[in-house]
Amino acid sequence: MPPAEVVEAAKKRLREAAILFEHKEGSRMVDIKDIGTLVRSLGVNPTGMQINLLVDELATVNAEADNGAPSLLSLKTVETVLSKFLLTSGNVIRDDYHTLIRAFRAFDMEGNGFIEAEQMKLMLSSRGEPMTEEEMAKMLSYAADENGRIYYEDYAQRLCLDGRRI
């Protein structure tokens, strides 16, 4: 079990994020369909399977609480379940810039500094946890330039910054 101050810091961070996802302002309820986005907003990158397990656990806890709205979760329920997940799931932390660069370079056989979007699309649909067409289209609209190339050093930098300013 992590030290009490680490647990409390995680819960505080979770409460702050969960408030942004309140179903209706002041309701102190979060819609279960927003759990994946909420978790990712905390800087972790769980798989679809991990999100499904979290949603199942939240639904079970919510059913036991019987709050009358099966798709709405109390902030207390979200805090309890997600803080446990965050404190025990060290393997879902986002990769850093250098790790991303090494991964992208493995697919840049010619050392051009870019990967063709079509090559990336093929990999994303056939390896590991496959992405849907919609997910790929969204990712490629952000990652690829007008010529269908992903300049991975720039893309890795954007992924690591995730909208934050240095």
Side-chain angles (χ1 to χ4, degrees), residues 13-31:
R13 194 167 155 224
L14 232 168
R15 274 190 301 270
E16 290 169 354
I19 286 172
L20 297 173
F21 289 90
E22 273 186 311
H23 175 65
K24 290 182 183 168
E25 190 173 338
S27 69
R28 302 190 55 76
M29 303 292 276
V30 176
D31 195 314

Side-chain angles (χ1 to χ4, degrees), residues 8-155:
E8 199 48 48
K11 285 184 177 183
K12 180 178 185 240
R13 194 167 155 224
L14 232 168
R15 274 190 301 270
E16 290 169 354
I19 286 172
L20 297 173
F21 289 90
E22 273 186 311
H23 175 65
K24 290 182 183 168
E25 190 173 338
S27 69
R28 302 190 55 76
M29 303 292 276
V30 176
D31 195 314
I32 202 163
K33 70 178 174 39
D34 292 329
I35 294 302
T37 306
L38 183 130
V39 170
R40 288 182 183 98
S41 78
L42 295 167
V44 295
N45 192 22
T47 64
M49 185 184 300
Q50 288 170 316
I51 291 293
N52 290 339
L53 290 171
L54 267 176
V55 166
D56 289 346
E57 183 176 353
L58 284 161
T60 301
V61 171
N62 201 42
E64 291 168 1
D66 191 30
N67 71 3
S71 70
L72 297 178
L73 309 165
S74 72
L75 287 180
K76 183 174 174 45
T77 299
V78 170
E79 179 184 310
T80 302
V81 173
L82 292 187
S83 62
K84 182 177 76 171
F85 173 76
L86 293 172
L87 293 169
T88 59
S89 300
N91 62 337
V92 295
I93 304 299
R94 287 185 183 156
D95 291 323
D96 66 9
Y97 174 79
H98 299 290
T99 302
L100 291 171
I101 292 296
R102 284 194 304 274
F104 284 127
R105 281 188 181 139
F107 297 104
D108 180 13
M109 301 301 178
E110 296 159 11
N112 295 324
F114 64 84
I115 301 169
E116 295 292 339
E118 285 303 313
Q119 177 188 5
M120 178 65 81
K121 192 173 180 179
L122 179 65
M123 289 184 291
L124 294 174
S125 64
S126 63
R127 297 185 179 178
E129 186 176 344
M131 293 177 80
T132 65
E133 284 291 326
E134 183 181 333
E135 290 169 329
M136 280 189 280
K138 190 180 251 185
M139 189 279 288
L140 291 173
S141 73
Y142 182 73
D145 68 4
E146 62 277 354
N147 298 318
R149 293 180 174 167
I150 301 169
Y151 289 89
Y152 52 82
E153 288 185 7
D154 296 335
Y155 182 53

